Amino acid sequence: GAPVHLMGRLSRDDLTDADGRFNLGALPSDDYRLWAQGAEWDARPGEDLTIVATSPREVVGRALFQGVPLAFFGVRLRSGGEKYLGAVHAVRDPDGRFCLSVHQPGTFGVELAGPGTLRKKLSGLEAAPGETLDLGDVELPRGQYISGRVHDAAGNPVAGARVLLGNPGPDVDFPGRWFHGNYEATTDSAGQYR
């Protein structure tokens, strides 16, 4: 029951059966990317694709912001060629700890982002199959911010207003939007946001 995800003109998901097989159904002719077990491959409709699973490597670490563990942040893997490997993983841990399995062979990278931070990229990472690479404490740099006040036509503060920067649409999840340059804030009782 390993998850398999296909992206292209259409998106499809499936789980492997007891023999490790999957079927994503009929697809229109196009170039697709297939993700399985955290790795990715190029795929075309009608082609049989054999994926040989290897012992995953693990990368662990702790995300900090201004010396304090981040309790909520996003982390994602990058291939050695800087392509993204799958989706952003939301991490909720009071100690800021994360653990990712790396199935793609070769060097890889990790990218982290959280509230109030810039994205932090670590590249050229290596670990043998079955090994764990401990990144230790990863300090995320402070990002820039915009602050302001929302008020109504009479000048009264508007509490609970949603302020958007970028284009955070419904198709981009949280914390994935931090990786796409999309941010949001909610005003406080004085109508202020930051």
Side-chain angles (χ1 to χ4, degrees):
V4 177
H5 181 70
L6 184 81
M7 292 283 296
R9 185 185 304 174
L10 298 176
S11 293
R12 299 262 171 91
D13 294 296
D14 196 13
L15 293 174
T16 59
D17 64 18
D19 295 320
R21 292 188 174 91
F22 60 92
N23 185 336
L24 297 167
L27 298 167
S29 181
D30 197 4
D31 291 324
Y32 293 91
R33 297 295 290 167
L34 179 73
W35 284 274
Q37 292 297 100
E40 65 178 287
W41 295 267
D42 291 318
R44 294 197 55 79
E47 293 179 354
D48 282 339
L49 182 64
T50 300
I51 299 170
V52 179
T54 60
S55 296
R57 304 170 283 170
E58 286 194 337
V59 58
V60 299
R62 184 169 74 145
L64 303 177
F65 179 52
Q66 298 180 328
V68 177
L70 272 171
F72 176 55
F73 61 96
V75 60
R76 73 171 160 191
L77 293 170
R78 300 175 74 95
S79 70
E82 295 298 304
K83 290 182 186 175
Y84 295 118
L85 298 176
V88 173
H89 300 272
V91 178
R92 292 183 187 276
D93 184 280
D95 294 325
R97 300 202 179 275
F98 64 92
C99 177
L100 298 173
S101 293
V102 183
H103 297 268
Q104 186 87 0
T107 61
F108 62 95
V110 173
E111 188 174 4
L112 301 99
T117 76
L118 290 175
R119 284 180 285 171
K120 173 79 172 192
K121 290 183 186 180
L122 304 170
S123 301
L125 305 176
E126 296 183 40
E131 287 187 357
T132 298
L133 174 63
D134 189 344
L135 300 175
D137 290 343
V138 180
E139 180 72 33
L140 278 67
R142 180 177 188 80
Q144 297 178 337
Y145 66 88
I146 295 174
S147 61
R149 181 175 175 265
V150 177
H151 57 84
D152 62 19
N156 299 314
V158 177
R162 188 173 170 213
V163 180
L164 306 174
L165 176 64
N167 187 23
D171 59 327
V172 181
D173 64 336
F174 227 3
R177 50 181 71 156
W178 296 327
F179 290 83
H180 298 285
N182 299 315
Y183 305 93
E184 71 176 79
T186 304
T187 59
D188 61 18
S189 60
Q192 296 180 335
Y193 65 89
R194 178 176 164 179

